[in-house]
Amino acid sequence: MKRIMPLSLIMLTLLVGQLFIDNSAAAAPVRNLPAVVVQPNGDTLHLFLSGDEYYHYLHDARGFVVVRNLITGIYHYAVRDTSGALVPSPYVVGVDNPLLAGLERGIMPSREWLRARHHRFDVPEAYRIARPKTSGINHGQLNNLVIFIRFSDEARVTTQSFSSIESMFNDSTSTAPDAISMYRYFRDDSYGKLSVLSHLLPDPRDNPPFVDSVLSYQDTLPRAYYEPYNTFSNPIGYVDDDERQDREFTLLQSAVNWLNAQQLVPSTLDIDFDNDGTVDNIVFVVSGTYNGWNDLLWPHQWSLYDRTVTINGKRVYTFNLQLAESGSHYFSVSTFCHEMTHTLGAPDLYHYDNYRNVSTAGAWDIMHS
């Protein structure tokens, strides 16, 4: 596993200053993740996936962007239409040569289209929670809740052991260079002033005999319900952003209701570190991994803003969503730290619009790379 680089002065300032929550979604960026998709005729395509929560896209090894025709299900090379969006060209991936067709390598939507996509995840003004500045509040222990979720057509949430995931969040004793955790990251970066301790729920150690496997909430609906609608392959999927949001928030609400019914969070546990009436942070770890067209099932940080859901009288608001089988490149300590740093208030520092060669901090700051 890569060693996590130190945070910039931005994060150091936040750690000794205020604890607050941003009013938009956020996510860690990825580049060139392997992705295998299948054409309707059975041809297998070995592609790559790059982007973040706001905009992620498939592309081939040469950098030509790939999009799927939602009517036929066929993967085509992309072109930009008059609205600035990317749409299928006549050229089919695996059949046609995009170089000979004169297509643009690394084509991106227009800046205006990307800006609109970014703002679709903003929390509406009426639902925003004000955050008073509280100097010096980030000293002590912040308790982070982690809930595991699988769908009605799945037997388990992950093949990983409970102890291995728990170590990623909480390891505080290992000395090997690659033995790192989110707990150690924030402890070290704050010079011992802030501890972020994660509570993985349900905890199989509470029900002896201990079996080292992850327990989870099982939803009443299948995975496809939480993926985009497609006439070719997914007629039960969501059709627009409003439906996507409602399905995601309802899923998380159901998981929290199940958690409360099982009384899994002790009333003595301080889950409101800054005393603002909300749960400081909650991570929903969902089964499976990403693919090239999922929007909901993609790691991100957001706010459960349009309904009141509580744990021990504290409102669930800020949350992270992670995918349990997305691999060490994404279901990783570095991603956990990136998302938790969003919860502490830091912004993303990377670019992904038409100026793709701009690099602000690179590997020197966890909010960029």
Side-chain angles (χ1 to χ4, degrees):
M1 181 180 291
K2 286 186 177 180
R3 182 174 178 82
I4 298 179
M5 302 300 291
L7 287 178
S8 67
L9 291 177
I10 294 174
M11 183 57 201
L12 294 178
T13 301
L14 286 168
L15 284 172
V16 297
Q18 62 177 342
L19 177 68
F20 64 94
I21 296 173
D22 193 8
N23 288 306
S24 62
V30 293
R31 292 178 63 87
N32 302 324
L33 299 184
V36 177
V37 299
V38 180
Q39 294 280 38
N41 66 359
D43 288 348
T44 299
L45 304 177
H46 294 273
L47 302 173
F48 298 90
L49 187 60
S50 296
D52 72 348
E53 164 58 18
Y54 303 124
Y55 177 64
H56 44 278
Y57 56 97
L58 287 167
H59 56 91
D60 66 12
R62 295 171 294 181
F64 289 98
V65 178
V66 173
V67 295
R68 190 185 195 191
N69 185 310
L70 297 183
I71 303 300
T72 65
I74 297 173
Y75 290 91
H76 295 252
Y77 288 108
V79 292
R80 190 185 301 113
D81 68 9
T82 56
S83 73
L86 297 189
V87 297
S89 72
Y91 305 105
V92 176
V93 182
V95 176
D96 299 306
N97 188 329
L99 282 172
L100 296 179
L103 299 184
E104 178 184 346
R105 193 193 309 266
I107 190 172
M108 297 287 282
S110 68
R111 180 177 294 180
E112 292 72 24
W113 189 94
L114 286 169
R115 185 179 296 115
R117 187 173 179 88
H118 184 285
H119 287 302
R120 70 179 179 151
F121 295 116
D122 287 352
V123 175
E125 186 70 34
Y127 294 102
R128 295 181 183 180
I129 295 179
R131 290 285 184 252
K133 294 183 179 181
T134 51
S135 178
I137 192 66
N138 290 354
H139 296 171
Q141 179 172 306
L142 187 154
N143 292 301
N144 174 48
L145 303 181
V146 183
I147 303 176
F148 296 91
I149 299 174
R150 71 188 195 275
F151 300 107
S152 64
D153 51 349
E154 298 173 336
R156 57 184 176 180
V157 66
T158 179
T159 58
Q160 299 181 73
S161 66
F162 175 86
S163 59
S164 66
I165 297 177
E166 205 273 340
S167 179
M168 293 167 66
F169 280 102
N170 290 327
D171 175 54
S172 62
T173 59
S174 299
T175 57
D178 60 347
I180 59 176
S181 69
M182 186 171 77
Y183 171 85
R184 292 181 63 191
Y185 180 76
F186 286 104
R187 181 200 65 186
D188 295 349
D189 204 70
S190 65
Y191 299 97
K193 293 183 178 181
L194 176 66
S195 296
V196 179
L197 186 64
S198 298
H199 303 266
L200 281 60
L201 305 168
D203 189 331
R205 295 170 297 191
D206 293 338
N207 297 288
F210 170 60
V211 177
D212 196 12
S213 59
V214 177
L215 305 177
S216 60
Y217 162 72
Q218 185 170 28
D219 194 54
T220 59
L221 295 163
R223 187 180 194 85
Y225 181 79
Y226 298 99
E227 297 178 336
Y229 171 84
N230 183 276
T231 56
F232 176 76
S233 62
N234 189 24
I236 67 170
Y238 59 85
V239 298
D240 56 26
D241 288 342
D242 289 340
E243 196 166 68
R244 165 246 159 99
Q245 175 192 305
D246 182 68
R247 292 187 183 193
E248 177 177 1
F249 287 4
T250 299
L251 171 68
L252 305 186
Q253 180 179 17
S254 298
V256 171
N257 289 341
W258 174 84
L259 188 81
N260 289 331
Q262 301 295 316
Q263 299 182 327
L264 296 177
V265 181
S267 59
T268 55
L269 184 67
D270 182 9
I271 56 177
D272 185 8
F273 182 69
D274 57 346
N275 296 314
D276 67 347
T278 69
V279 177
D280 293 315
N281 197 70
I282 187 166
V283 180
F284 295 96
V285 180
V286 179
S287 61
T289 187
Y290 54 79
N291 61 36
W293 59 91
N294 277 351
D295 285 325
L296 193 165
L297 300 179
W298 181 275
H300 60 273
Q301 185 254 4
W302 206 3
S303 299
L304 189 64
Y305 63 81
D306 70 345
R307 64 202 68 194
T308 301
V309 183
T310 62
I311 299 175
N312 294 343
K314 303 294 184 178
R315 182 178 177 183
V316 176
Y317 192 73
T318 299
F319 68 87
N320 300 159
L321 188 142
Q322 303 288 342
L323 295 173
E325 296 294 310
S326 56
S328 60
H329 47 266
Y330 223 160
F331 190 69
S332 65
V333 174
S334 55
T335 302
F336 300 161
C337 292
H338 178 101
E339 300 298 354
M340 179 57 71
T341 306
H342 276 309
T343 295
L344 291 170
D348 286 316
L349 295 180
Y350 57 87
H351 294 261
Y352 58 89
D353 64 5
N354 292 338
Y355 298 93
R356 293 182 297 279
N357 295 324
V358 175
S359 180
T360 52
W364 290 103
D365 195 293
I366 201 169
M367 304 315 291
H368 183 285
S369 174

